[in-house]
Amino acid sequence: TALLANFGSMLGTIYTLYLTITGGLNWGEAAEHLVQLNPIMGVLFSIYIAFAVLCVLNIVTGVFVENANAITRSDADNMVMEELNAREKWLGEMKGVFERADTDGSGALNLHEF
């Protein structure tokens, strides 16, 4: 009865496999029914679970983590560029202050101009 409910049709089997790797169904319970039918089926099901959970899902998680790291690096680069732009703006403003203070146009400030 439970075997037919979980593995009685192709759609039911796919749904059971999906539930077992996403935590919606305890995979041990699903494997017990297969072991009762044929122990080899239980072993194949366990190999599927190991492959899906340990390999595929870890790769997907790794891709998400790598994307997050790339975004963080990009954000840090943007912060450095903003800091450099702010420094350039400040230097330009300070240059303008000293150029306006240089009333005789000599390119240097004397004591009176300073």
Side-chain angles (χ1 to χ4, degrees), residues 52-71 73:
V53 172
L54 299 177
C55 296
V56 174
L57 294 180
N58 282 340
I59 290 171
V60 170
T61 302
V63 168
F64 281 116
V65 169
E66 182 59 33
N67 286 340
N69 284 338
I71 289 170
R73 274 193 304 272

Side-chain angles (χ1 to χ4, degrees), residues 21-86:
I21 65 169
T22 59
L25 178 65
N26 185 350
W27 68 269
E29 294 172 8
E32 285 178 18
H33 302 299
L34 290 175
V35 169
Q36 290 172 359
L37 179 66
N38 185 345
I40 299 296
M41 298 297 282
V43 170
L44 291 175
F45 184 75
S46 297
I47 290 170
Y48 162 76
I49 294 296
F51 177 77
V53 172
L54 299 177
C55 296
V56 174
L57 294 180
N58 282 340
I59 290 171
V60 170
T61 302
V63 168
F64 281 116
V65 169
E66 182 59 33
N67 286 340
N69 284 338
I71 289 170
T72 302
R73 274 193 304 272
S74 174
D75 200 32
D77 291 343
N78 287 338
M79 288 176 56
V80 168
M81 290 302 294
E82 286 177 15
E83 182 67 28
L84 288 174
N85 288 336

Side-chain angles (χ1 to χ4, degrees), residues 75-114:
D75 200 32
D77 291 343
N78 287 338
M79 288 176 56
V80 168
M81 290 302 294
E82 286 177 15
E83 182 67 28
L84 288 174
N85 288 336
R87 281 186 180 184
E88 285 181 22
K89 182 180 175 187
W90 182 81
L91 286 172
E93 290 171 356
M94 293 309 297
K95 183 179 177 184
V97 167
F98 285 109
E99 285 175 349
R100 285 190 301 275
D102 183 21
T103 55
D104 64 3
S106 66
L109 295 180
N110 59 32
L111 187 58
H112 176 70
E113 291 172 332
F114 188 70

Side-chain angles (χ1 to χ4, degrees), residues 5-17:
N6 290 334
F7 301 102
S9 67
M10 181 62 79
L11 187 60
T13 301
I14 292 171
Y15 185 62
T16 300
L17 294 175

